[in-house]
Amino acid sequence: MAATPLSERAVQQVHIDLGERSYPILIGDGLLADPAVYAALPTAAAAVIVTNTTVAPLYAQQLQATLAGRFAQVQQVQLPDGEAHKNWQTLQTIFDALLGAQCDRRTVLFALGGGVVGDMTGFAAACYMRGVPFVQVPTTLLAQVDSSVGGKTAINHPQGKNMIGAFYQPQLVVCDLGTLRTLPAREVSAGLAEIIKYGPIADMAFLDWIEANIDALVAREPAALAHAVRRSCEIKAAVVGQDERESGLRAILNFGHTFGHAIESGLGYGEWLHGEAVGCGMVMAAWLSQKLGGVDAAFVERLTALVRRAGLPVVAPALGAQRYLDLMRVDKKAEAGEIRFVVIDRPGSAVMRPAPDALVREVLAECVAP
Amino acid sequence: MAATPLSERAVQQVHIDLGERSYPILIGDGLLADPAVYAALPTAAAAVIVTNTTVAPLYAQQLQATLAGRFAQVQQVQLPDGEAHKNWQTLQTIFDALLGAQCDRRTVLFALGGGVVGDMTGFAAACYMRGVPFVQVPTTLLAQVDSSVGGKTAINHPQGKNMIGAFYQPQLVVCDLGTLRTLPAREVSAGLAEIIKYGPIADMAFLDWIEANIDALVAREPAALAHAVRRSCEIKAAVVGQDERESGLRAILNFGHTFGHAIESGLGYGEWLHGEAVGCGMVMAAWLSQKLGGVDAAFVERLTALVRRAGLPVVAPALGAQRYLDLMRVDKKAEAGEIRFVVIDRPGSAVMRPAPDALVREVLAECVAP
């Protein structure tokens, strides 16, 4: 309780405006250890920290100690690490732990980890006793700039990624930039994919800034990371605030994801990181955008170079064109068997539209490893 | 398409007012076969009828034929019948079918069956691709007057009933009274339990009416059933409209359910029908209400007699008092280990409150089989 009060520290705040489901995103260093961050949460007897076996030894004890001042009972549930475990069996271990500890419907869940932990904990919170409050505490760059914000929760189905889930908003998102220090370099790159994404779809000035600072971001310079996380959350907040349940606009946040999901699913979840697949998927979506007349070749080249500098793959794995098409047809954005892609219609602006299979095959011919 | 237009038939309508999640309940005979009933649903390529192996041979073909005029593709998924199958494995068969048929997120699900089919289909609709539209087509009396209305969906967990679920509203509820003709007598009684419930908690005049008409209801006289279904839905609609997510008032609809769930869970799901357990549970809750001073002995006697005349059990199974208490402590209404009961504070009005274990043991001593 002797921590410096929130107001006196370098904490940035982004607000997600969704009426009665509104909540703040707090961004700063050392937030895991600051009781003031958690002071406004609903009163409850119990808190449960859901994390994984990789993150737990690094940060669980710290968060548990901070929450112990606020909740009479603080428990931990550790999930196996990785996208391959983002399924019903793992979700069931959360429910078993909650019921085993007789957790009631005021219990607050804390998702401490990356996107997989956040998606699963959020979905568990959405379903347990038809909904309990939860807090996102993302510890990866990707989760801080994308998956922890906006209330998309899900698990995978053997036939498709994120097929079973809910729109369910957290009470609070806590981005402790300090946790990024222990992140493997490959995961930093994966997070940069989602940061880069916000440029082409919404803010070319931000893309300019990312280009100018990509080396600082890869090197995890604190000031660069702080700006990138805040600006990414601001753009995401603006989009989600207009279209919480993805009936339209929000789909632009999936730029690069239709190709990316096909890569992830085709190789088997966990082979490529989600951010790696999205990085390569953005290059493919840029090619498609060019073929549809939205951007020129220089734009595609610029985006490709930036993705490469971020340490991400720009050549797609050879799954076979037909397999790519089949995988993309089960994408959630598909309608009546027609694959729909997020494409750039002009730099800084994205739309969703179908594309003829023949054009998609041309893109695959350009981007897939020979 | 030659069916009599909706407006010219004896169709009653109750409106659930939940802002953008509002929807109508239609009540009448022959609605399964009337295309006009389904005319206002959202446009989609595909409809999927989820039903069970008991209901399918009776009504699935009829509904499928009616929907064929509206949806290019109408599929069926048949679940095994019974509360014992209201679990994740069965839910998974719905997801497998939807993904196998490449159903997109405009697909409309139809829950054709009783409470189990409705709860599972609704939860599948809530989760599939983070939410697809669905329609409740309840074919049991219990589902028509209670479970299909109000958006509670769930599956059971080995450690508790309806522990995993969502609040997710249908687009429409279609109560075809004609389907009640094929209902086993035991299921008619089970439905009457939930109808009787609305009296003590909300409307003593309705309780008078039920008492006067209980034999007609047991005999399934159409006019009596039509009135009972409509009035039950009206009361439920009024309560749900004020408290969609059960943060307060809505809990009164669980009168008899805390004891009832303990009976169901203690005996093993499916041994007693849900309505049978609720019927007996109401008698127990009436006893508790008397001990707490809300009603007199005559009220308990009157309710007990009515429950008995409805063909329902009024003596609880001998599970042991401690087992009852343990089972009730995992009820969703429990908070911080304290069991909370819906009790009648005066005839026609209910409140939720905790009760000392000692008092609950007295009730068990009165109501449990020796």
Side-chain angles (χ1 to χ4, degrees):
Chain A
M1 290 299 188
T4 314
L6 201 55
S7 56
E8 296 174 23
R9 301 176 57 196
V11 177
Q12 305 192 70
Q13 183 160 345
V14 176
H15 188 74
I16 304 265
D17 191 1
L18 291 168
E20 60 184 13
R21 293 183 300 286
S22 297
Y23 55 94
I25 305 165
L26 302 182
I27 303 161
D29 196 348
L31 304 188
L32 279 183
D34 187 348
V37 166
Y38 312 93
L41 290 174
T43 313
V48 175
I49 299 170
V50 182
T51 184
N52 69 30
T53 49
T54 306
V55 175
L58 297 169
Y59 300 113
Q61 196 46 51
Q62 194 174 19
L63 181 59
Q64 181 146 8
T66 308
L67 297 178
R70 180 88 174 70
F71 300 92
Q73 188 192 14
V74 185
Q75 308 219 355
Q76 269 186 48
V77 180
Q78 290 189 21
L79 311 179
D81 188 10
E83 181 85 28
H85 301 284
K86 191 173 153 180
N87 55 30
W88 174 260
Q89 285 80 352
T90 311
L91 191 71
Q92 195 68 27
T93 65
I94 305 178
F95 295 139
D96 292 346
L98 294 173
L99 282 161
Q102 300 200 337
C103 288
D104 65 32
R105 62 181 160 190
R106 289 168 172 270
T107 306
V108 184
L109 305 194
F110 289 79
L112 177 69
V116 172
V117 166
D119 280 11
M120 295 195 63
T121 307
F123 188 44
C127 298
Y128 185 66
M129 294 191 173
R130 299 195 185 95
V132 295
F134 87 110
V135 175
Q136 291 275 16
V137 190
T139 61
T140 67
L141 184 57
L142 187 140
Q144 292 188 356
V145 300
D146 184 39
S147 60
S148 72
V149 173
K152 275 196 182 179
T153 75
I155 55 174
N156 298 329
H157 183 280
Q159 288 179 57
K161 188 175 158 73
N162 294 332
M163 282 295 165
I164 312 301
F167 288 97
Y168 193 71
Q169 301 295 340
Q171 304 283 314
L172 170 69
V173 180
V174 181
C175 299
D176 186 336
L177 298 169
T179 62
L180 304 180
R181 287 188 203 108
T182 51
L183 204 60
R186 192 178 163 194
E187 299 239 19
V188 173
S189 292
L192 290 174
E194 298 280 6
I195 292 173
I196 292 169
K197 173 188 81 178
Y198 292 109
I201 66 168
D203 184 353
M204 289 301 285
F206 186 43
L207 191 70
D208 295 341
W209 181 90
I210 299 168
E211 271 183 328
N213 291 275
I214 188 69
D215 297 333
L217 289 167
V218 169
R220 301 178 219 203
E221 288 184 13
L225 285 177
H227 178 77
V229 172
R230 201 204 61 207
R231 185 67 194 128
S232 297
C233 288
E234 281 172 356
I235 295 171
K236 180 141 191 187
V239 171
V240 170
Q242 289 172 70
D243 179 22
E244 183 181 4
R245 295 180 71 90
E246 197 166 313
S247 42
L249 177 70
R250 182 167 179 167
I252 67 167
L253 297 173
N254 292 316
F255 178 60
H257 283 59
T258 304
F259 287 109
H261 285 170
I263 293 172
E264 283 185 273
S265 175
L267 290 177
Y269 293 123
E271 190 63 32
W272 282 26
L273 294 177
H274 174 64
E276 291 170 337
V278 167
C280 187
M282 285 195 293
V283 170
M284 299 167 88
W287 273 97
L288 183 61
S289 304
Q290 189 205 340
K291 289 180 188 296
L292 290 165
V295 297
D296 58 17
F299 181 95
V300 177
E301 207 163 303
R302 182 184 172 191
L303 189 65
T304 307
L306 183 57
V307 168
R308 192 186 289 113
R309 285 180 67 200
L312 295 161
V314 295
V315 177
L319 304 173
Q322 190 55 48
R323 177 92 174 111
Y324 268 102
L325 288 165
D326 291 345
L327 286 166
M328 293 192 289
R329 236 180 288 281
V330 296
D331 184 85
K332 286 192 296 303
K333 293 184 292 301
E335 276 182 16
E338 190 177 63
I339 313 168
R340 298 163 81 220
F341 294 89
V342 179
V343 295
I344 307 301
D345 58 340
R346 58 185 165 76
S349 167
V351 292
M352 191 161 63
R353 50 161 296 180
D357 280 8
L359 215 57
V360 177
R361 286 178 186 274
E362 285 182 32
V363 170
L364 293 168
E366 302 280 3
C367 300
V368 170
Chain B
M1 291 296 188
T4 314
L6 200 55
S7 55
E8 295 175 26
R9 303 176 55 196
V11 177
Q12 306 193 69
Q13 183 160 344
V14 177
H15 188 74
I16 305 266
D17 191 2
L18 291 168
E20 60 184 14
R21 294 183 299 286
S22 298
Y23 55 93
I25 305 165
L26 302 182
I27 303 161
D29 197 348
L31 304 187
L32 279 182
D34 186 350
V37 166
Y38 311 93
L41 290 174
T43 313
V48 176
I49 299 170
V50 182
T51 184
N52 69 30
T53 48
T54 306
V55 175
L58 297 169
Y59 300 113
Q61 196 47 49
Q62 194 175 18
L63 182 59
Q64 181 147 8
T66 308
L67 297 178
R70 179 89 174 70
F71 300 92
Q73 188 192 13
V74 185
Q75 309 218 357
Q76 268 186 49
V77 180
Q78 290 189 21
L79 311 179
D81 188 9
E83 181 84 29
H85 301 284
K86 189 174 153 181
N87 56 29
W88 173 259
Q89 285 80 353
T90 311
L91 191 70
Q92 196 67 27
T93 64
I94 305 178
F95 295 139
D96 291 347
L98 295 173
L99 281 162
Q102 300 200 337
C103 287
D104 64 33
R105 62 181 160 189
R106 288 168 173 271
T107 306
V108 183
L109 305 193
F110 289 79
L112 177 70
V116 172
V117 166
D119 280 9
M120 295 194 62
T121 308
F123 188 44
C127 297
Y128 186 66
M129 295 193 173
R130 300 199 186 92
V132 295
F134 87 111
V135 175
Q136 290 275 17
V137 190
T139 60
T140 67
L141 185 57
L142 187 140
Q144 291 188 355
V145 300
D146 184 39
S147 61
S148 73
V149 174
K152 275 195 181 179
T153 73
I155 55 174
N156 298 330
H157 182 279
Q159 287 180 56
K161 188 175 159 72
N162 295 332
M163 283 294 165
I164 314 300
F167 288 97
Y168 193 71
Q169 301 296 339
Q171 304 282 315
L172 170 69
V173 180
V174 180
C175 299
D176 186 336
L177 298 169
T179 62
L180 303 181
R181 285 186 205 111
T182 51
L183 204 60
R186 192 178 164 194
E187 299 239 19
V188 172
S189 292
L192 290 174
E194 298 280 7
I195 292 172
I196 291 168
K197 173 187 80 178
Y198 292 109
I201 65 167
D203 184 353
M204 289 301 286
F206 186 44
L207 191 70
D208 295 341
W209 181 91
I210 299 167
E211 272 183 329
N213 292 275
I214 189 69
D215 297 334
L217 288 166
V218 169
R220 301 177 220 203
E221 288 183 14
L225 284 177
H227 178 78
V229 172
R230 201 204 60 206
R231 185 68 195 128
S232 297
C233 287
E234 281 172 356
I235 295 171
K236 180 142 190 185
V239 171
V240 170
Q242 289 172 71
D243 178 22
E244 181 181 6
R245 295 180 71 89
E246 198 167 312
S247 42
L249 177 69
R250 182 168 179 166
I252 67 168
L253 297 173
N254 292 316
F255 178 60
H257 284 59
T258 305
F259 288 109
H261 285 169
I263 293 173
E264 284 185 272
S265 173
L267 291 177
Y269 294 121
E271 191 62 33
W272 281 26
L273 295 176
H274 174 64
E276 291 171 337
V278 168
C280 187
M282 285 194 294
V283 172
M284 299 166 87
W287 273 97
L288 183 61
S289 304
Q290 188 205 340
K291 289 181 187 295
L292 289 165
V295 298
D296 58 17
F299 181 95
V300 177
E301 208 164 303
R302 180 184 173 192
L303 189 65
T304 306
L306 183 58
V307 168
R308 191 185 290 113
R309 285 179 68 199
L312 295 161
V314 296
V315 177
L319 304 173
Q322 190 55 48
R323 177 94 172 111
Y324 269 103
L325 288 166
D326 291 345
L327 287 165
M328 293 191 289
R329 235 179 288 281
V330 296
D331 185 86
K332 287 191 294 304
K333 293 185 292 301
E335 277 184 14
E338 190 178 63
I339 314 168
R340 299 162 82 220
F341 293 88
V342 180
V343 295
I344 307 300
D345 59 340
R346 59 186 164 74
S349 167
V351 292
M352 190 162 65
R353 51 160 297 178
D357 280 9
L359 215 57
V360 177
R361 286 178 186 274
E362 285 183 32
V363 171
L364 292 168
E366 302 281 2
C367 300
V368 170

